[in-house]
Amino acid sequence: DLHTEFKSSLVYPAGRGMKPDLAAQTTEILKVVCGFLNAEGGTLYIGVNDEGVASGLEQDMPHFRGGSMDAFDLHVRNHIVQHMGVDANAHVTVSYPDAGKRTVYALHVQPSPHPVMLGGVYYVRQGSSTWPLLGRDLDLFLERKEAERLRMGIEPVAADPDASPVAVEPAAEVAPPSTRFTITLSALPIATIS
């Protein structure tokens, strides 16, 4: 739906026969986050299949330093900052919904008052899909965002032509996994499988 997206993995893109491609799948995750930022917000559940069944992240974990959720989260956060900026990252919170024995990672994205680009493209969430905005659609989107900002009294962000891209280096050593907070979401259609 408009506010919910499921991805079974951060490492294995759909339709590739379980062949790992962390870069391609991370880009898909970032498109969804960008789309939520530019629309009404939403939640992206990673480790949940399209039917809303928790598949878990156990197959993803060996691809992250020490197999830790901290390294997993650092990967996601670094890519949000590197490709969409610190302000975009500030609109994203994380939780680990209770899914029985399966690990699920949830990105809760609040809408951004400013348009957010990913790789020079604006994405927006419409229905159950994320779409790139081009041509007249992009013009209309930017006009609406500007009108919303003016109505809310928010100043536009001036682009700094001398700014260089943000580079975030992963920590040399990953701290032990933080304490997880189990959150049960009664409205979430996540089912668990044993």
Side-chain angles (χ1 to χ4, degrees):
D1 72 32
L2 179 64
H3 301 104
T4 307
E5 176 71 21
F6 300 127
K7 295 289 184 190
S8 58
S9 173
L10 179 60
V11 176
Y12 298 93
R16 297 216 182 149
M18 291 303 288
K19 182 179 176 187
D21 190 339
L22 182 60
Q25 188 64 356
T26 297
T27 299
E28 289 305 309
I29 298 298
L30 292 178
K31 287 178 184 178
V32 173
V33 171
C34 187
F36 281 147
L37 286 163
N38 285 326
E40 298 175 11
T43 302
L44 168 59
Y45 295 93
I46 305 175
V48 178
N49 69 22
D50 285 337
E51 290 76 41
V53 177
S55 52
L57 296 171
E58 288 68 27
Q59 291 186 350
D60 285 8
M61 297 319 296
H63 296 272
F64 298 95
R65 204 172 352 169
S68 86
M69 284 307 297
D70 282 348
F72 184 100
D73 182 59
L74 186 63
H75 174 83
V76 172
R77 293 300 194 148
N78 280 347
H79 279 80
I80 291 171
V81 169
Q82 287 172 1
H83 299 284
M84 290 182 276
V86 173
D87 185 65
N89 192 46
H91 288 81
V92 179
T93 59
V94 171
S95 71
Y96 300 90
D98 183 10
K101 296 179 181 177
R102 309 284 181 175
T103 302
V104 172
Y105 179 83
L107 289 164
H108 308 282
V109 183
Q110 297 300 313
S112 172
H114 305 285
V116 178
M117 286 193 330
L118 172 65
V121 177
Y122 293 95
Y123 291 89
V124 68
R125 184 75 173 182
Q126 295 177 338
S128 60
S129 299
T130 301
W131 298 94
L133 292 172
L134 306 167
R136 181 73 180 135
D137 291 330
L138 175 58
D139 294 339
L140 291 169
F141 165 75
L142 293 173
E143 288 172 14
R144 278 193 302 270
K145 278 291 193 182
E146 179 66 18
E148 287 173 23
R149 282 196 312 270
L150 290 173
R151 192 173 49 254
M152 295 169 43
I154 299 172
E155 293 293 321
V157 175
D160 180 356
D162 299 323
S164 60
V166 175
V168 178
E169 294 295 323
E173 292 295 320
V174 175
S178 61
T179 305
R180 290 191 190 163
F181 295 94
T182 302
I183 299 173
T184 303
L185 303 171
S186 59
L188 178 64
I190 292 180
T192 58
I193 53 177
S194 302

